[in-house]
């Protein structure tokens, strides 16, 4: 069961501002929805609170250190490793699911990057102000396996490049 990160990153590494996203990318959100539909998705508690509800059609797992934290329609894990384990166990009972999706935010990405097999990166083609970041993607560790230029549509604030990266050497 692959661990895949889904993230949109500005040219300066910014991924978020004031608990939300510093752009409007309707085309990318549609692709994200289609790519993650039916799969387990793992997110930090702050990202969950920013969205404000479970994402429909997916098994939502929220990571928090707060043992009393609960929300309707989501499963809770108290470490990232426990979240990935829970997602793998649940995914085994789902037909045709071959990956666990890590969907943010900054704290969770930083811890998930060394554990991930694949990165689905929407490169936002601008530098943007923000307070949450994605770590640099090291070319010695990651290779691009596909890339697509996506011009800004009517409901998009920026043009993007959608790139899929795979780890050069599998994690032992
Ligand atoms: N551009 C994108 O693709 C994208 C995607 C998602 C999110 N974002 C943005 O990212 C920002 C949020 O990121 P963030 O870094 O502030 O927060 P975050 O990673 O979403 O959540 C952080 C929280 O996760 C919990 N946590 C982190 N590590 C943990 C661990 N090892 N064990 C247990 N719990 C752990 C803690 O929750 P407790 O405090 O409850 O213990 C922590 O406060 C927002 O602006 C959001 O819009 C961007």
């Amino acid at each position: 069961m692959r661990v895949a990160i889904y993230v949109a990153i500005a040219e300066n590494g910014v991924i978020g501002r004031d608990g939300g996203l510093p752009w409007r990318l309707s085309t990318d959100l549609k692709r994200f929805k289609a790519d993650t539909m039916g799969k387990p998705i793992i997110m930090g508690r702050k990202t969950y609170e920013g969205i404000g509800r479970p994402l429909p059609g997916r098994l939502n797992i929220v990571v928090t250190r707060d043992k009393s934290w609960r929300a309707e329609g989501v499963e809770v894990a108290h470490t990232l490793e426990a979240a990935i384990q829970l997602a793998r166990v649940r995914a085994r009972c789902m037909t045709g699911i071959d990956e666990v999706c890590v969907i943010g935010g900054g704290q969770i990405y930083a811890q998930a990057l060394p554990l991930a097999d694949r990165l689905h990166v929407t490169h936002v083609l601008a530098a943007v102000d923000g307070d949450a970041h994605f770590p640099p993607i090291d070319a010695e560790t990651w290779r691009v396996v596909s890339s697509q230029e996506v011009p800004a549509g009517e409901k998009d604030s920026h043009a993007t490049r959608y790139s899929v990266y795979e780890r050069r050497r599998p994690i032992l």
Side-chain angles (χ1 to χ4, degrees):
M1 186 75 56
R2 197 166 56 222
V3 175
I5 285 179
Y6 286 79
V7 62
I9 316 175
E11 286 170 351
N12 54 346
V14 164
I15 62 157
R17 182 168 61 218
D18 300 332
L21 298 173
W23 43 67
R24 183 164 179 253
L25 295 173
S26 177
T27 308
D28 191 59
L29 284 179
K30 280 191 194 124
R31 183 203 48 76
F32 170 80
K33 185 177 178 184
D35 284 356
T36 57
M37 193 47 68
K39 298 175 183 174
I41 53 173
I42 296 172
M43 72 199 90
R45 194 263 309 160
K46 290 186 181 173
T47 290
Y48 176 78
E49 306 270 1
I51 299 169
R53 64 184 166 88
L55 293 181
R58 287 147 282 190
L59 172 70
N60 288 243
I61 301 175
V62 175
V63 187
T64 173
R65 294 187 180 89
D66 181 350
K67 297 281 190 312
S68 64
W69 192 90
R70 305 263 182 288
E72 206 178 315
V74 310
E75 298 217 28
V76 181
H78 297 117
T79 65
L80 176 61
E81 290 75 9
I84 292 172
Q85 183 58 23
L86 175 63
R88 283 188 161 134
V89 168
R90 292 282 189 276
R92 272 187 219 128
C93 306
M94 305 172 178
T95 1
I97 300 300
D98 56 359
E99 70 176 14
V100 166
C101 309
V102 176
I103 65 153
Q107 289 185 33
I108 294 300
Y109 286 141
Q111 297 169 66
L113 188 57
L115 310 174
D117 306 295
R118 190 174 283 186
L119 313 177
H120 295 255
V121 181
T122 300
H123 290 285
V124 179
L125 302 182
V128 175
D129 283 341
D131 51 22
H133 299 82
F134 195 87
I137 299 172
D138 176 11
E140 284 190 12
T141 306
W142 298 99
R143 68 187 174 100
V144 178
V145 293
S146 73
S147 207
Q148 185 192 353
E149 301 294 326
V150 183
E154 252 179 42
K155 296 181 181 167
D156 302 324
S157 57
H158 297 84
T160 60
R161 181 186 314 113
Y162 175 61
S163 301
V164 179
Y165 296 76
E166 276 183 3
R167 186 177 283 282
R168 290 183 186 277
R169 280 172 219 89
I171 303 169
L172 296 177

